[in-house]
Structures are given as structure tokens and as C-alpha cells.
Amino acid sequence: MISRPLQAHCFEQEVCGLFLTVFSDNKQLVIKEISLAHLSTKDINDARKEATFLKELSHPNIVSYEGCFERNNRLNILMEFCEGGDLAQRIKKQNGVLLDETQVLDWFVQVSLAVRYCHEKKILHRDIKTSNIFLHRYGRQVPVYKR
């Protein structure tokens, strides 16, 4: 479980959740916090199902699941931290300069492999976009995750 907060840094807040960076057992994780307070029963079940799906997935190009818990009417999903941010942020940082074609093709292959794996597991992503493609530093794997 979480030993102490590394920093309560919210790097994104959407209707679907709040993301916080935390530190657990000398490993940096992200918590996706989803408020259940104003959700319908169906949406609450969908949020819990998302955590269940993540738990069942094991692929180098999919963000790894580290656990989940509910507290104070919030579902908290602990996931691998991707220090490179997301692809939308990376594109924005380019300031109009084109990305290296080899790097783009590498990311495309990694995303395609992740999607194929999900489809083999009968899971449909439904929201593939640059802000849902997380990057590691130094061109390592590109985890894909449904927010």
C-alpha cells in the first residue's frame, strides 16, 4: 500500500478522474481517483469493471495495474507511473516541429500491439487518443490506458 505521498501532484483532472503521483515501496505510482458520489449505479459498476480489466492485463505496452481500493466514496486505481507524460503533451512540446518518423512508427507499432492484445482478450478500448497514450523516457514502451 502507499507508504507516503511523494507529492500530491495532480497532473490531470477530468470528469472521469483525478490523477495523483504517489510513492509506494520505493516505486513511483499513479492513482486514478474516481469519485463515485454522483455516478449512476451503471457508471459505478463500469468504473469497478475498468479496474478488473486492468488487473487481468499483462502486456509490456499497457500500463501495469498495481492495485485498487475504495475509500470515502472514491475508487482509487493504482497504476504504473509513466515518467514521459502522455503523447498529447509530447506533441505540444514540439512547438510545431515534426517528430522523428522512426519514433512515430515505433510508437504506432507499440500501440497496435497493445490494442491487438486487448482485442484478443475481448476488450475494446473505445477511447484511443494521444492523451491516453503514456510514454516512458528514452523511447521505452508506450503503455496505452483507457481513462
Side-chain angles (χ1 to χ4, degrees):
M1 202 44 132
I2 301 168
S3 55
R4 65 178 177 81
L6 176 61
Q7 59 184 104
H9 175 70
C10 171
F11 61 86
E12 179 147 349
Q13 183 172 7
E14 295 181 3
V15 174
C16 67
L18 172 69
F19 289 80
L20 301 168
T21 304
V22 296
F23 189 56
S24 174
D25 300 322
N26 295 321
K27 185 176 184 180
Q28 198 168 3
L29 302 175
V30 171
I31 295 179
K32 178 180 181 181
E33 183 180 82
I34 303 168
S35 175
L36 305 175
H38 302 292
L39 296 180
S40 68
T41 302
K42 180 193 177 307
D43 289 340
I44 291 171
N45 290 334
D46 286 348
R48 289 177 178 146
K49 192 181 297 185
E50 178 181 332
T52 303
F53 284 150
L54 269 177
K55 185 177 184 178
E56 296 172 3
L57 299 177
S58 178
H59 189 275
N61 302 120
I62 297 176
V63 173
S64 66
Y65 169 92
E66 299 290 335
C68 81
F69 60 94
E70 287 187 40
R71 185 175 17 190
N72 299 329
N73 212 17
R74 296 179 184 283
L75 174 64
N76 297 274
I77 304 172
L78 285 82
M79 300 176 291
E80 163 188 15
F81 176 72
C82 298
E83 66 277 0
D86 64 43
L87 186 54
Q89 293 168 337
R90 176 68 183 272
I91 292 169
K92 189 174 182 179
K93 284 181 188 175
Q94 291 293 116
N95 289 322
V97 177
L98 296 177
L99 290 162
D100 177 68
E101 184 176 337
T102 304
Q103 179 65 75
V104 172
L105 287 172
D106 187 46
W107 288 335
F108 176 77
V109 168
Q110 292 178 62
V111 170
S112 297
L113 291 171
V115 170
R116 182 179 76 181
Y117 175 80
C118 288
H119 289 180
E120 288 170 353
K121 297 283 188 181
K122 306 292 187 219
I123 296 171
L124 183 63
H125 190 290
R126 298 186 312 148
D127 196 23
I128 297 172
K129 58 187 177 186
T130 56
S131 61
N132 285 344
I133 298 172
F134 296 98
L135 307 173
H136 282 290
R137 288 198 177 126
Y138 315 114
R140 292 192 344 241
Q141 68 211 33
V142 180
V144 177
Y145 176 66
K146 178 186 179 300
R147 287 189 184 177

